[in-house]
Amino acid sequence: MATTPPRAEAVLLLRLAGPLQAWGDRSTFNRRETRPTPTKSGVIGLLAAAAGRARQDPVDDLSHLGLGIRVDQPGSLLRDYHTVSDYRGTPLPQAGVSAKGIQKPTSPAKHTHVTTRYYLQDAVFLAAVAGPAELLDRLQHAVRNPAFPLALGRRSCPPTQPLCLGIRDTDTETALRETPWQVSRQARERYAARWRREHGAARSAVPATVPCPVTLDDPEGPDVLNDVPLSFDPLRRSFADRRVRHDWFSVPTGFPGRPGSGTPDSPEDATGHDPFALLGW
């Protein structure tokens, strides 16, 4: 009796989109920045939250997963004026600590901190997480049935649906090249109108592909990012480096009659306005 050989490697596709996202890798104190694309620590943190892992739990199996990020819609940078105060009305602590390791109160007393926080608004990314198929199967189930609320970098940034686009039995680059553009119908139509003007095409003509920048894990890549999580434990957070390379892929636009059209992964398939239903909770 013939048996089906086990799947070795696969790719889990995540559509990272929402009103706001924030992917910081050097945010400290009163200035919280965001990178222009999702970080590996942010994506791994989302998967760990979906799987119900506590911050103190190990993430070695997740940190070894490969990652590719495609920028379908870069969005724009939002600067948020943010204040912090103690709800009890007590003075805020300062950076200095006492001999017992307890933070000292500000002197003179300061009741409000002003912080600057940056967000990406209206951005859309496609994340390709590569690794053992069995592990990705469990992560796919977790993302569709999350144990903890999921966020796009910060807790205040919930994702819109569809978040999980399924698993592909292929490599990272192929998955990122073949998956249709994940922007809204309005964004595709605006791109088509601009494309027609630039090419002098007929009003009924639509482009087959759109160029999208990508960032891929690559041991020989020219750039180094310090965003591989070794521990999310608040008392011993630590990260390692990874090498990446940057490229541009021609991606199917998803217009009717074009390759990639009619896919169930299209954002238009998420209908309704029940926020809890959209989040899958």
Side-chain angles (χ1 to χ4, degrees), residues 249-262:
F249 288 173
S250 292
V251 175
T253 52
F255 282 103
R258 289 296 188 177
S261 62

Side-chain angles (χ1 to χ4, degrees), residues 177-218:
R177 288 182 187 276
E178 295 182 351
T179 302
W181 203 21
Q182 294 298 307
V183 299
S184 66
R185 181 185 294 108
Q186 291 83 354
R188 285 205 305 269
E189 291 174 350
R190 287 196 298 269
Y191 172 72
R194 185 170 66 252
W195 177 86
R196 286 191 289 265
R197 289 196 301 270
E198 294 174 351
H199 292 81
R203 293 184 61 181
S204 59
V206 291
T209 61
V210 58
C212 292
V214 297
T215 301
L216 299 155
D217 280 351
D218 186 342

